[in-house]
Amino acid sequence: IVSAERVADNYLKGELSIKHALGNYAGDIGTHQLIIQNDKEFNGACVVGLGEVDKLSSQGLTTSIEKAMTSYLLEHCKKEASNKIQLKGISVLLIGTDYGGLSFDTSIRAMLLGIQIANAKIHAIKPGLINLIEHVEFIELFADRALQCLYTLKRIMMSSSDEIQIE
């Protein structure tokens, strides 16, 4: 567990490290580790499996994001009944642009598509009963990469033939 995962692990009081040490951690495509806590400073984390180094594809990233966000939305539904939490959006890191060798465009499209598919599946099963993800915030430490992300999102927004719907 390194970089942003390490920071999340610190906020989660070592919960990610414990699960990793026990062999119960995201690794393969489609796997994820979801920890939600009721804390004003840090609400939780979702780590998605990226598979083997240098073998990540856009389809694999979409699958991992979709499965993780589906679980997140279902967990949120359980929380909503007791806590009256109103989900509006999530914050995500750029995934796969270093580790997986994906371009910014491919990574961003794959993540947004995974979120859209998760929203659609949950809405089809429990229409109106679960708040869907309406906003996605991309977090990036380095300014040049953040700008590249912004330009990519703008291109996606301007594309009329795109399957990704951004407002």
Side-chain angles (χ1 to χ4, degrees):
I1 296 179
V2 297
S3 301
E5 276 181 79
R6 174 65 62 206
V7 173
D9 191 40
N10 289 338
Y11 278 107
L12 296 169
K13 299 173 182 75
E15 196 70 28
L16 295 175
S17 291
I18 291 167
K19 293 192 180 283
H20 188 268
L22 293 171
N24 184 18
Y25 203 70
D28 295 335
I29 296 293
T31 62
H32 60 278
Q33 189 64 54
L34 178 63
I35 300 173
I36 296 176
Q37 63 182 20
N38 194 5
D39 185 316
K40 291 179 183 176
E41 189 173 336
F42 191 81
N43 293 325
C46 183
V47 178
V48 298
L50 301 178
E52 295 180 41
V53 177
D54 296 330
K55 293 191 178 178
L56 180 63
S57 67
S58 62
Q59 182 179 3
L61 182 54
T62 297
T63 298
S64 286
I65 295 292
E66 172 200 335
K67 290 185 180 299
M69 292 301 97
T70 300
S71 292
Y72 176 70
L73 289 168
L74 288 173
E75 175 69 19
H76 174 71
C77 180
K78 293 176 191 171
K79 297 277 188 185
E80 182 179 355
S82 61
N83 294 341
K84 305 287 185 219
I85 297 170
Q86 296 294 315
L87 173 68
K88 290 294 181 188
I90 60 170
S91 300
V92 298
L93 302 173
L94 287 173
I95 301 172
T97 56
D98 287 329
Y99 171 89
L102 301 178
S103 69
F104 276 83
D105 187 79
T106 300
S107 175
I108 291 168
R109 285 176 186 274
M111 287 190 286
L112 292 174
L113 185 58
I115 292 166
Q116 280 187 200
I117 292 169
N119 274 345
K121 284 183 173 182
I122 294 296
H123 179 70
I125 293 169
K126 294 190 171 197
L129 298 177
I130 297 177
N131 293 318
L132 302 177
I133 299 168
E134 297 176 13
H135 305 282
V136 179
E137 171 188 48
F138 286 90
I139 299 173
E140 174 55 51
L141 178 62
F142 300 105
D144 59 329
R145 292 172 52 91
L147 276 173
Q148 196 169 356
C149 179
L150 177 67
Y151 295 144
T152 299
L153 287 168
K154 187 152 181 113
R155 273 195 310 276
I156 293 170
M157 285 176 62
M158 302 305 280
S159 174
S160 60
S161 64
D162 209 305
E163 75 225 322
I164 308 293
Q165 299 171 8
I166 301 176
E167 296 176 5

